């Protein structure tokens, strides 16, 4: 028996997609109207996206990108998006240079750490006791070359069973993405299969075909089963919920049995309430960078997110949901870090009996 998903959708994208499934005879223009000339995408890739995602999801995501991808104020969960205010990048970089901190911050940004997180649950099948999940987030590959090089060395020394990527592969939040795909291709050549991923607020859906050609199974409001011996766990992923708000948790989890151990991949942890009420066991996310530029004691100046600050990095809990927010591997806006080293995360599942 599948778990109930009777929740209010967190975006119009989810409402539209659900309606499409229930009313297949309704004309497309009844739901969304985006002029074709605004969808600045080569026709062949557009067709691939519609075939892969369905016409409604593809058209909706592309339409929102065309209207809002460089917007500074008003779009998404929070009001202000500093990553889209390009003048701020110059100001922050200049201030750091004038204070003599810029080069130190760049060196910090290459000091990648491996962090381990242990997840204990009675719902983890015995066959998955000791199962290892490699978690990479917020790579921003064009801006984070030194961290990517360092991580490539660390990855060769790390054993894991599955790899998950929680979005923000591109450095900029809009514009060209070819350099991103080249950088991701080089990194993926060093990763073991299987690899699952989701898109972040810096990522255009146009990158989807290229990422999947690298062997990444992208989960856009979708779910996959991982089998081991005669037991299984479920891994679901949603489209960006922070800026584009194209997430649909109900659809992603609709086929997961109510008693199964389930993992949700989301770029942002801001959907923690929906994930908990949808009965997911584990939420893996990123987006916050842990603040990236922090005060001593890893106290973030800002998390660019609408959520309790204790969820801004590392392991946390909400109701019956275990969560982990990666501080990320790369940098955004400026290629520096202070009091917040970049990370590769290794999650280890531990099966336990009720009451342990």
């Amino acid at each position: 028996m599948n778990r109930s998903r009777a929740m209010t959708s967190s975006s119009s994208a989810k409402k539209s997609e659900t309606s499409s499934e229930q009313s297949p005879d309704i004309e497309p223009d009844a739901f969304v109207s985006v002029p074709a000339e605004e969808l600045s995408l080569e026709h062949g890739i557009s067709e691939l996206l519609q075939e892969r995602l369905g016409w409604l999801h593809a058209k909706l995501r592309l339409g929102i990108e065309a209207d809002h991808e460089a917007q500074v104020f008003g779009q998404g969960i929070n009001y202000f998006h500093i990553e889209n205010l390009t003048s701020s990048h110059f100001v922050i970089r200049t201030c750091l240079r004038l204070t003599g901190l810029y080069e130190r911050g760049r060196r910090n940004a290459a000091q990648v750490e491996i962090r381990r997180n242990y997840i204990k649950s009675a719902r983890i099948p015995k066959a998955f006791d000791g199962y290892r999940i490699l978690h990479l987030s917020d790579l921003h590959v064009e801006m984070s070359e030194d961290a990517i090089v360092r991580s490539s060395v660390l990855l060769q020394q790390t054993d894991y069973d599955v790899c998950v990527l929680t979005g923000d592969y591109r450095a900029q939040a809009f514009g060209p993405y070819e350099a991103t795909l080249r950088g991701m291709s080089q990194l993926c050549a060093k990763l073991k299969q299987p690899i699952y991923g989701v898109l972040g607020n810096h990522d255009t859906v146009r990158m989807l075909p290229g990422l999947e050609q690298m062997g990444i199974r992208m989960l856009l409001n979708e779910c996959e089963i991982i089998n081991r011996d005669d037991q299984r766990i479920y891994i679901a992923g949603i489209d960006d919920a922070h800026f584009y708000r194209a997430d649909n948790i109900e659809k992603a989890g609709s086929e997961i049995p109510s008693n199964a151990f389930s993992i949700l991949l989301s770029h942002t942890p801001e959907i923690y309430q929906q994930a908990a009420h949808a009965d997911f066991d584990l939420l893996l996310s990123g987006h916050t960078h842990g603040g990236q530029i922090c005060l001593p004691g890893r106290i973030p100046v800002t998390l660019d997110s609408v959520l309790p600050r204790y969820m801004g990095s590392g392991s946390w809990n909400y109701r019956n949901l275990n969560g982990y927010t990666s501080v990320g591997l790369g940098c955004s806006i400026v290629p520096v870090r202070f009091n917040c080293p970049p990370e590769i995360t290794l999650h280890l599942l531990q099966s336990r009996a009720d009451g342990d």
Side-chain angles (χ1 to χ4, degrees):
M1 178 178 180
N2 291 340
R3 65 184 73 179
S4 171
R5 303 289 175 177
M7 300 184 299
T8 302
S9 296
S10 65
S11 71
S12 61
K14 295 189 286 188
K15 292 179 182 177
S16 298
E17 192 153 357
T18 302
S19 300
S20 172
E21 293 171 357
Q22 294 174 347
S23 305
D25 295 328
I26 297 178
E27 290 297 320
D29 288 341
F31 290 106
V32 62
S33 179
V34 180
E37 60 271 18
E38 293 184 11
L39 303 182
S40 55
L41 180 64
E42 191 271 324
H43 183 66
I45 296 181
S46 180
E47 287 187 338
L48 284 174
L49 288 174
Q50 292 193 40
E51 181 179 352
R52 170 65 178 81
L53 300 175
W55 68 266
L56 183 56
H57 188 165
K59 189 175 183 182
L60 182 61
R61 180 64 142 88
L62 287 167
I64 296 172
E65 287 187 21
D67 289 345
H68 299 292
E69 72 171 355
Q71 190 166 324
V72 176
F73 299 101
Q75 171 67 20
I77 290 179
N78 61 341
Y79 183 73
F80 177 56
H81 301 280
I82 190 172
E83 67 274 12
N84 290 340
L85 185 63
T86 52
S87 60
S88 69
H89 305 190
F90 172 78
V91 170
I92 296 171
R93 185 180 291 106
T94 301
C95 289
L96 289 171
R97 288 187 185 279
L98 291 174
T99 57
L101 292 173
Y102 183 75
E103 291 304 322
R104 177 182 167 189
R106 283 186 63 92
R107 291 193 298 272
N108 292 343
Q111 301 304 307
V112 183
E113 298 180 348
I114 297 179
R115 303 186 68 182
R116 287 171 172 80
N117 179 46
Y118 297 88
I119 299 122
K120 300 178 180 180
S121 173
R123 299 219 294 189
I124 296 174
K126 291 294 183 183
F128 285 87
D129 186 47
Y131 195 74
R132 299 155 301 181
I133 303 171
L134 179 71
H135 179 193
L136 304 178
S137 192
D138 299 86
L139 287 88
H140 301 287
V141 292
E142 312 97 296
M143 187 179 286
S144 311
E145 293 180 1
D146 291 342
I148 298 295
V149 170
R150 174 58 181 158
S151 68
S152 298
V153 176
L154 294 175
L155 289 172
Q156 302 307 309
Q157 307 166 4
T158 306
D159 292 326
Y160 54 93
D161 299 293
V162 65
C163 177
V164 298
L165 310 173
T166 49
D168 271 11
Y169 313 109
R170 182 168 63 171
Q172 301 299 324
F174 55 91
Y177 56 89
E178 291 78 12
T180 305
L181 292 179
R182 287 194 297 271
M184 286 300 300
S185 179
Q186 294 171 7
L187 179 65
C188 285
K190 297 177 174 64
L191 294 174
K192 294 191 306 184
Q193 297 284 339
I195 308 170
Y196 298 97
V198 294
L199 294 176
N201 59 294
H202 278 243
D203 303 322
T204 171
V205 74
R206 298 169 176 87
M207 293 162 52
L208 180 65
L211 291 170
E212 293 202 321
Q213 287 173 8
M214 300 171 199
I216 307 171
R217 170 62 170 105
M218 298 297 292
L219 299 172
L220 274 70
N221 307 325
E222 298 165 306
C223 180
E224 288 284 345
I225 300 171
I226 300 178
N227 293 292
R228 202 176 206 194
D229 297 335
D230 59 345
Q231 297 180 314
R232 58 179 51 182
I233 61 175
Y234 292 77
I235 183 166
I238 55 174
D239 200 349
D240 173 55
H242 175 76
F243 187 79
Y244 293 111
R245 307 200 71 177
D247 55 307
N248 189 333
I249 289 181
E250 298 94 319
K251 180 184 177 187
S254 61
E255 300 301 320
I256 301 175
S258 60
N259 61 344
F261 182 80
S262 57
I263 302 168
L264 178 64
L265 306 181
S266 169
H267 174 60
T268 176
E270 292 165 297
I271 46 77
Y272 66 94
Q273 290 177 311
Q274 297 96 312
H277 291 303
D279 205 24
F280 280 97
D281 296 286
L282 177 62
L283 170 61
L284 300 180
S285 60
H287 176 68
T288 67
H289 290 224
Q292 187 171 314
I293 298 177
C294 294
L295 302 176
R298 297 196 178 193
I299 300 172
V301 176
T302 179
L303 293 171
D304 189 32
S305 304
V306 180
L307 79 171
R309 288 180 74 83
Y310 76 90
M311 296 181 181
S313 65
S315 179
W316 48 266
N317 294 281
Y318 177 78
R319 295 182 179 268
N320 293 323
L321 175 70
N322 290 312
Y324 190 92
T325 306
S326 170
V327 304
L329 181 60
C331 294
S332 180
I333 301 179
V334 287
V336 301
R337 282 183 177 265
F338 293 98
N339 302 306
C340 184
E343 73 176 59
I344 292 170
T345 318
L346 193 64
H347 304 283
L348 294 98
L349 303 187
Q350 297 181 327
S351 180
R352 68 178 185 184
D354 288 317
D356 287 357

